[in-house]
Structures are given as C-alpha cells and as structure tokens.
Amino acid sequence: MELERVDIASKRTQTGVDFLTVNPKGNVPVLELDDKDLLTESPAIMQYLADLKPECELAPPNGTMARYRLQEWLGFVNSDLHKGYSPLFNSATPELVRRERQGALSRYYGLLEKLLTTQPWLLRERFSVADAYLFTVTSRAPHAGLDISRLPAISAFQQRVGERPHVRGALLAEGLLRDWLQEIAQQPAPASTGQSTPLTPTRRFDTCHPRVNLDKYMHNARRNTNSYIEAAPWR
Ligand SMILES: N[C@@H](CCC(=O)N[C@@H](CS)C(=O)NCC(=O)O)C(=O)O
C-alpha cells in the first residue's frame, strides 16, 4: 500500500496533482485500487479494507445483524463526530457555532463514556474498524477545545486502542509517533540476550496529542495490503 499526502488547504497532493481531479468532493481519504477505481467515504473504505482480510475480524460478516451494528456506529462516528469536529478547525467559524458544536460533541462523548464504562469496544467484546475510527477522530479532541481527560472510560479507550501494535504501526507509518520514537532512541540499549528485541515500547505514549494531523493525508492505497502489513517492523 502506498500513501500519498494531500495538503487540504491547497488541494495538492505531495506529487503535485490537483486533488480535485482525484476526488472532486475535495475530501480525504480516498482509496485507489489496482484497477485505478477510486473509493471515497471513510465508512465505505474501512469496510472494504476489513473485508479484504476477513481473518482479521475487523468487521462482522456481511448480512449479519452485527454488521448493521457496525454500520450504525460508522454512521454515527462519521456524520456526528467526524463532521462535528470540522467547524472547530475552521478559523472562520463564529464563536456561537463553535460553542454549539463543542456542546454537541460533549453530549455525544457523555453517551460514549457511559457505554465504554460497561464494554471495551463499540461492538461489545469485539474490536472493529469502528473503534479505530472513533480513536482517530477522538485524537482531535484536545486540539478542538474538548477536554476528554475528565472522561475516564473514553481516556482508557484511547489508551487501549493506541497500545494495539498495529495501530502503533499505522501511526508510525504515518509519521505520527516521532516523539515516541525519539524517546525510545534516547533510552539505554537493553542488555543483549542473544535474541532480537521486539519493538515494544515500555512507556505509554499519549495518543490524544498527535503531533501531525492525520487529516492532511490522502490514503492512496493499492489493493494488495499484504505488502504493507508484512513489511511492517512492528509485527
Ligand atoms: N464524508 C467524508 C468526509 C471526510 C472529511 O471531511 N475529511 C476532511 C478531513 S478530516 C477533509 O478532507 N476536508 C476537506 C476540507 O476541509 O476542505 C468521509 O467520510 O470520508
């Protein structure tokens, strides 16, 4: 899988392409398939990727009630949370609108706080792409004037997702864990045991404060996600 970054403001990709010729809607993410077909809209992209690797169980099988539950959550995270944040990152947004948006998001997070006090994941015992999506949008909270540190279940959820090796791998691949890597590099080398040392950090990193905003990137992926996963050093 290749990644191509997009500057949202200028609508230019890192290779100089006018992004509006790729996605006339002007939004990231976009998934480009081997046959050059393009898929847009986060919930569709996430389900497509999950279905490419059903053995990873990141989405319940199509046609089951659990799959509709997943779509219910993806719809909520997409239209109520994700798009709820958008005006908070626009300097032209009037203060009244900003406060209204923050209020709506706080109310939604209050509901999620209650839910995540009784179950670890949105689909109860099963981690899914909806959790990954919730994690990503919630990482923006501190940058949008929302204090989620007073919500212990949400904070624990962020930590739980952020500690998953493949989530770390994805953040690393996106260049979002620079500070964490510097921290690791400054630690004394572990005594040699003759075995290779797994890339397992001993410290918690703060997933709520990404140094780079994920939204600046267009995810321009090839159908063969194997190469991306297999080349990853964190496996
Ligand atoms: N409905 C789209 C919305 C995605 C979206 O809003 N992306 C934002 C970044 S988080 C974007 O590209 N905004 C373009 C802009 O602000 O001009 C989806 O779910 O993929």
Side-chain angles (χ1 to χ4, degrees):
M1 184 192 288
E2 295 166 17
L3 294 176
E4 177 145 1
R5 299 175 184 204
V6 179
D7 183 83
I8 287 296
S10 65
K11 304 287 179 206
R12 286 265 151 205
T13 78
Q14 71 185 90
T15 57
V17 174
D18 175 0
F19 182 55
L20 293 175
T21 64
V22 180
N23 182 8
K25 289 181 279 190
N27 291 330
V28 291
V30 173
L31 192 69
E32 183 186 296
L33 307 177
D34 279 348
D35 60 4
K36 301 287 176 200
D37 206 6
L38 297 173
L39 189 63
T40 63
E41 302 304 323
S42 311
I45 289 173
M46 277 179 269
Q47 292 181 78
Y48 180 85
L49 291 175
D51 287 344
L52 280 184
K53 289 227 156 222
E55 67 276 19
C56 293
E57 298 187 348
L58 291 171
N62 268 300
T64 62
M65 191 59 202
R67 182 62 170 244
Y68 295 114
R69 287 283 169 229
L70 174 79
Q71 289 166 353
E72 187 178 24
W73 279 120
L74 289 174
F76 170 70
V77 177
N78 188 235
S79 55
D80 297 300
L81 297 185
H82 186 164
K83 294 312 281 185
Y85 275 101
S86 300
L88 298 175
F89 289 101
N90 183 348
S91 55
T93 299
E95 195 48 39
L96 204 65
V97 176
R98 192 173 293 279
R99 281 208 297 273
E100 188 278 325
R101 278 296 84 205
Q102 285 169 335
L105 285 170
S106 296
R107 196 169 59 78
Y108 290 139
Y109 278 116
L111 297 174
L112 287 166
E113 172 70 15
K114 269 194 200 139
L115 183 88
L116 292 171
T117 305
T118 60
Q119 62 190 63
W121 310 118
L122 294 175
L123 297 184
R124 299 178 190 278
E125 300 305 316
R126 180 201 283 250
F127 176 83
S128 72
V129 288
D131 297 297
Y133 193 19
L134 175 60
F135 166 79
T136 302
V137 299
T138 303
S139 303
R140 295 173 196 158
H143 307 278
L146 286 175
D147 181 16
I148 55 155
S149 64
R150 64 193 166 75
L151 300 173
I154 300 274
S155 301
F157 172 85
Q158 289 298 99
Q159 187 174 344
R160 223 164 30 246
V161 179
E163 283 174 351
R164 293 175 73 89
H166 286 85
V167 171
R168 280 191 177 178
L171 293 170
L172 197 53
E174 298 269 3
L176 297 172
L177 289 187
R178 236 178 344 197
D179 292 358
W180 170 69
L181 277 180
Q182 272 167 9
E183 220 175 80
I184 297 293
Q186 280 159 12
Q187 286 174 13
S192 175
T193 58
Q195 294 172 336
S196 63
T197 314
L199 188 58
T200 312
T202 50
R203 293 189 203 173
R204 167 179 179 265
F205 72 98
D206 191 351
T207 54
C208 296
H209 294 83
R211 293 296 183 274
V212 182
N213 193 334
L214 256 181
D215 305 339
K216 286 188 183 147
Y217 305 109
M218 163 190 166
H219 298 232
N220 181 359
R222 306 264 168 232
R223 188 185 290 269
N224 182 8
T225 53
N226 280 338
S227 56
Y228 173 71
I229 292 169
E230 283 163 11
W234 50 85
R235 288 197 88 214

